[in-house]
Amino acid sequence: AQSVTQLGSHVSVSEGALVLLRCNYSSSVPPYLFWYVQYPNQGLQLLLKYTSAATLVKGINGFEAEFKKSETSFHLTKPSAHMSDAAEYFCAVSPSTSGTYKYIFGTGTRLKVLA
Amino acid sequence: KAGVTQTPRYLIKTRGQQVTLSCSPISGHRSVSWYQQTPGQGLQFLFEYFSETQRNKGNFPGRFSGRQFSNSRSEMNVSTLELGDSALYLCASTRRGAPDTEAFFGQGTRLTVV
């Protein structure tokens, strides 16, 4: 069965510092991968997605992620954290062989940005 | 373009009651899926509907059910509510329900069972 592991349920960074949120997936075939962000009392908003095109994916708000098949990873990065980046981030996998839509989410990482 | 609309936003119910939540997808989107979000279990897939047919179902008891109407609007129903059903229920829509497509989420319905 496919699964997603997000290392670190809480991450704190200083404003202006690098943001690195880790995501590893388990799948026998390369799946489709997504990063979503959730602000308090809100739904989820897509940051970026990997669908087997370029392995380095750029998303909104300066975020990007690199798909590394050898490491089964899809870590999310941002060069310089902003206070508005404080939120919860979810990595999700969509099985490419299923033919239908279904996300499997990681447990989430809550990002705190320190002034 | 209007986003995914979920109603109501907040709901308080008593154990044993039943509840119906509503989701209106983005215009033109034919796939609607539902997720339960709790602090302990995170985001868990409930079910997905496409053109009024349930295509996928998560690992939830039969008390959780749903349906989709011809206009793609969807409802989910939880019968015989338990305290553990307290959660944020999120609805998401996609245009064609393919695995590589982006899902658009509503703001959710926060259900509290007392």
Side-chain angles (χ1 to χ4, degrees), chain B residues 34-68:
Chain B
W34 291 87
Y35 291 85
Q36 181 195 65
Q37 185 177 23
T38 60
Q41 299 297 319
L43 281 152
Q44 294 196 297
F45 174 79
L46 279 155
F47 28 65
E48 186 246 0
Y49 288 87
F50 183 85
S51 294
E52 302 179 66
T53 300
Q54 186 183 88
R55 298 194 302 181
N56 269 316
K57 190 177 191 308
N59 189 25
F60 278 83
R63 299 185 298 107
F64 291 81
S65 62
R67 59 178 175 168
Q68 186 181 34

Side-chain angles (χ1 to χ4, degrees), chain A:
Chain A
Q2 302 201 342
S3 64
V4 175
T5 301
Q6 290 185 243
L7 289 176
S9 58
H10 292 81
V11 170
S12 293
V13 299
S14 298
E15 191 174 21
L18 172 72
V19 175
L20 171 60
L21 305 182
R22 299 178 186 275
C23 173
N24 287 88
Y25 68 91
S26 170
S27 174
S28 57
V29 295
Y32 300 116
L33 294 158
F34 304 79
W35 274 101
Y36 280 86
V37 61
Q38 185 179 35
Y39 297 99
N41 298 315
Q42 298 294 318
L44 277 68
Q45 179 184 9
L46 180 73
L47 282 174
L48 47 81
K49 66 178 181 180
Y50 167 76
T51 57
S52 75
T55 56
L56 181 62
V57 182
K58 294 187 184 299
I60 63 171
N61 301 338
F63 284 94
E64 63 181 38
E66 185 173 9
F67 173 73
K68 292 187 177 180
K69 183 179 177 181
S70 61
E71 299 176 8
T72 61
S73 68
F74 190 57
H75 302 330
L76 181 71
T77 61
K78 182 174 180 178
S80 176
H82 192 271
M83 298 297 288
S84 60
D85 295 327
E88 190 156 21
Y89 293 79
F90 293 92
C91 182
V93 62
S94 178
S96 61
T97 57
S98 72
T100 61
Y101 161 76
K102 172 184 175 181
Y103 283 168
I104 299 167
F105 281 95
T107 51
T109 298
R110 190 170 296 277
L111 176 66
K112 186 175 182 179
V113 181
L114 308 171

